């Protein structure tokens, strides 16, 4: 499930510690005391003893920042990428028939390809996306069988029918409302596309014709229902901050200001706006593995809906975000999930999201982590800025 979310810690250096002794688990500071001047015989004996101890002890070298940064995470490893600093990674997808073959997208016209399950990546050149002087931001990629789709900004739509060996560019109407932020391959020659203004389109002929699934954009819906009691709807700027799709085709989206959210289910003619159930503004929302919703607020709070489906009743979960914003959540199973955020925040839950613990090893990741993607039980990735990519190794 692709998400577009609009979010470095200093390396830990070794400092001298205060001299202390342990008694019963508590540290007792040793107070320096005056002592008598040492005798010549005592000084020689002490020097000899120290020399023997030093020879027997292993050599301890200070750990450099580079060594600290290279320490592996407990369940994740950092993957090096052949891209320029400053690239923000935005989406990742693999060919269902070949889980070792995948594509990674980002800003600055970044398209990378892997054929070893994500352990190594190489740049992929697509001539049809390089004919113009545009610096594309590739937002979303999706595969169904060997058929795949990529969308980006400025408006661009790419399609492959041979697992990405070749790509063709599909023409798009200049009247398309908003920027394309998400695409989902739904079957043979079929896909579903969403723009940041709430337009949802479906195709069944390889993208040559698209049919609107909603009758109006979100702005039109809110202008028509401004008296519906939705707080902040009159200040709506017309675009989504994030949008997430469930496996059964339902959507949840967060308004650009984070003051309310919207949902859509197949068959509905309009997006349905909802008041936020928490005091702080919403950062992102998505779907749990059990069909319920998770909700992130600015400042690091995480909430879970009570029950499954689209509801408005949420309860806060216990997290250790250190005050940094959490930007995305990805479920590996119904019980296990990972959350990622600013300054290398990486959290794990083993009880469906009720409580979370921080993976401290991620504190040395020099960047913000924007997106968590699990393709299967044993294949997952965390995408960040400055070309940060983490791969799940269990």
């Amino acid at each position: 499930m692709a998400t577009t979310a609009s979010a470095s810690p200093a390396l830990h250096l070794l400092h001298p510690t205060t001299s202390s002794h342990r008694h019963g688990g508590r540290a007792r500071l040793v107070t320096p005391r005056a002592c008598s001047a040492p005798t010549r015989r005592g000084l020689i004996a002490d020097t000899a003893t120290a020399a023997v101890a030093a020879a027997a002890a292993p050599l301890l070298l200070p750990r450099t920042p580079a060594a600290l940064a290279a320490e592996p995470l407990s369940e994740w490893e950092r993957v090096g990428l052949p891209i320029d600093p400053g690239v923000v990674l935005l989406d990742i997808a693999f060919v269902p028939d070949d889980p070792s073959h995948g594509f990674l997208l980002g800003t600055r016209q970044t398209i990378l390809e892997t054929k070893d399950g994500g352990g190594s990546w190489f740049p992929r050149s697509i001539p049809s996306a390089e004919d113009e002087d545009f610096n594309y931001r590739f937002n979303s990629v999706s595969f169904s069988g060997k058929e795949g789709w990529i969308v980006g900004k400025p408006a661009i739509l790419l399609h492959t029918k041979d697992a990405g060996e070749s790509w063709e560019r599909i023409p798009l109407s200049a009247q398309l409302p908003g920027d394309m932020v998400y695409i989902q391959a739904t079957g043979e020659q079929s896909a579903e596309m969403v723009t940041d203004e709430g337009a949802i389109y479906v195709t069944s002929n390889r993208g040559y014709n698209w049919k609107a699934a909603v009758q109006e954009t979100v702005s039109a819906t809110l202008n028509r229902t401004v008296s519906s009691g939705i707080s902040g709807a009159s200040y709506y700027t017309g675009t989504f901050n994030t949008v997430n799709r469930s496996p059964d085709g339902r959507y949840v989206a967060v308004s650009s200001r984070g003051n309310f959210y919207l949902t859509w289910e197949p068959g509905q003619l309009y997006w349905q706006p909802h008041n936020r159930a928490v005091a702080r503004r919403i950062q992102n929302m998505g779907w749990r593995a059990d069909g319920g919703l998770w909700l992130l607020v600015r400042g690091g709070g995480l909430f879970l809906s009570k029950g499954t489906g689209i509801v408005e009743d949420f309860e806060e979960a216990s997290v250790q975000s250190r005050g940094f914003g959490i930007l995305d959540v990805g479920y590996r199973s119904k019980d296990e999930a990972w959350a990622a955020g600013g300054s290398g925040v990486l959290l794990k839950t083993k009880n469906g999201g009720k409580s979370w613990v921080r993976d401290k090893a991620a504190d040395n990741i020099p960047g913000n982590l924007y997106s968590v993607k699990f393709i299967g039980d044993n294949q997952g990735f965390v995408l960040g800025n400055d070309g940060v990519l983490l791969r799940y190794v269990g």
Side-chain angles (χ1 to χ4, degrees):
M1 169 65 226
T3 305
T4 52
S6 13
S8 4
L11 293 174
H12 298 292
L13 303 179
L14 297 180
H15 297 281
T17 56
T18 306
S19 176
S20 64
H21 291 301
R22 292 282 174 180
H23 292 279
R26 297 184 179 179
R28 178 173 64 83
L29 294 178
V30 177
T31 305
R33 293 179 296 178
C35 59
S36 59
T39 65
R40 184 173 182 272
R41 179 179 299 176
L43 183 59
I44 294 175
D46 291 343
T47 303
T49 302
V52 172
L59 180 62
L60 297 179
L61 297 176
R63 294 189 298 171
T64 64
L68 286 171
E71 290 181 351
L73 304 182
S74 58
E75 297 181 69
W76 299 84
E77 68 175 6
R78 175 83 179 269
V79 180
L81 299 177
I83 55 178
D84 296 330
V87 171
V88 179
L89 302 178
L90 298 174
D91 198 16
I92 189 171
F94 285 77
V95 180
D97 298 339
D98 183 6
S100 64
H101 187 196
F103 290 83
L104 177 64
L105 309 183
T107 59
R108 303 184 185 179
Q109 207 148 318
T110 298
I111 300 180
L112 301 178
E113 186 174 3
T114 181
K115 293 190 175 181
D116 62 2
S120 62
W121 298 81
F122 55 90
R124 178 60 191 271
S125 175
I126 300 178
S128 60
E130 299 173 353
D131 294 338
E132 303 173 54
D133 295 329
F134 287 125
N135 190 0
Y136 287 105
R137 171 192 176 102
F138 292 114
N139 289 321
S140 180
V141 56
S142 179
F143 280 90
S144 176
K146 292 185 177 181
E147 193 168 16
W149 307 80
I150 291 176
V151 295
K153 173 186 177 180
I156 185 171
L157 173 63
L158 303 175
H159 173 262
T160 180
K161 57 183 179 181
D162 54 11
E165 295 301 320
S166 62
W167 295 84
E168 64 174 333
R169 184 168 179 174
I170 306 296
L172 290 169
S173 170
Q175 306 301 318
L176 187 72
D179 297 317
M180 293 178 293
V181 293
Y182 178 76
I183 193 163
Q184 175 68 41
T186 55
E188 185 178 357
Q189 299 188 4
S190 302
E192 193 170 271
M193 179 174 64
V194 184
T195 75
D196 62 357
E197 292 189 11
I200 302 176
Y201 294 99
V202 295
T203 183
S204 57
N205 61 357
R206 284 182 18 189
Y208 289 101
N209 297 104
W210 295 86
K211 179 181 179 181
V214 293
Q215 291 189 355
E216 59 190 14
T217 63
V218 172
S219 293
T221 297
L222 294 176
N223 290 335
R224 182 172 49 81
T225 61
V226 70
S227 60
S228 62
I230 301 302
S231 177
S234 60
Y235 301 101
Y236 184 65
T237 60
T239 59
F240 291 151
N241 186 38
T242 64
V243 58
N244 278 305
R245 184 183 190 272
S246 70
D248 60 0
R250 294 175 294 169
Y251 285 93
V252 59
V254 176
S255 68
S256 55
R257 292 175 178 262
N259 46 6
F260 63 95
Y261 66 98
L262 306 103
T263 59
W264 181 84
E265 298 182 73
Q268 292 181 335
L269 300 179
Y270 312 101
W271 285 86
Q272 308 299 311
H274 304 265
N275 279 313
R276 69 179 189 267
V278 295
R280 285 177 286 173
R281 291 181 183 269
I282 305 172
Q283 179 71 46
N284 194 6
M285 293 181 69
W287 303 91
R288 304 196 305 263
D290 64 1
L293 288 166
W294 52 261
L295 181 152
L296 305 175
V297 297
R298 299 177 187 180
L302 190 155
F303 294 76
L304 303 176
S305 64
K306 296 180 179 179
T308 60
I310 297 173
V311 298
E312 297 184 356
D313 194 8
F314 289 79
E315 57 185 355
E316 188 168 9
S318 174
V319 296
Q320 302 173 12
S321 65
R322 300 178 296 158
F324 293 106
I326 304 174
L327 303 177
D328 195 28
V329 175
Y331 274 77
R332 180 170 172 260
S333 65
K334 285 189 176 182
D335 295 323
E336 182 181 328
W338 291 81
S343 295
V345 168
L346 193 58
L347 308 166
K348 179 183 180 181
T349 180
K350 291 184 177 180
N351 55 14
K354 296 178 182 178
S355 61
W356 300 75
V357 295
R358 180 165 57 93
D359 188 334
K360 296 181 180 180
D363 293 352
N364 292 327
I365 298 296
N368 296 326
L369 306 177
Y370 288 114
S371 180
V372 183
K373 308 283 184 183
F374 277 98
I375 292 87
D377 290 345
N378 298 312
Q379 191 174 29
F381 296 87
V382 176
L383 284 60
N385 69 338
D386 283 332
V388 172
L389 177 68
L390 307 182
R391 183 172 72 145
Y392 181 76
V393 294

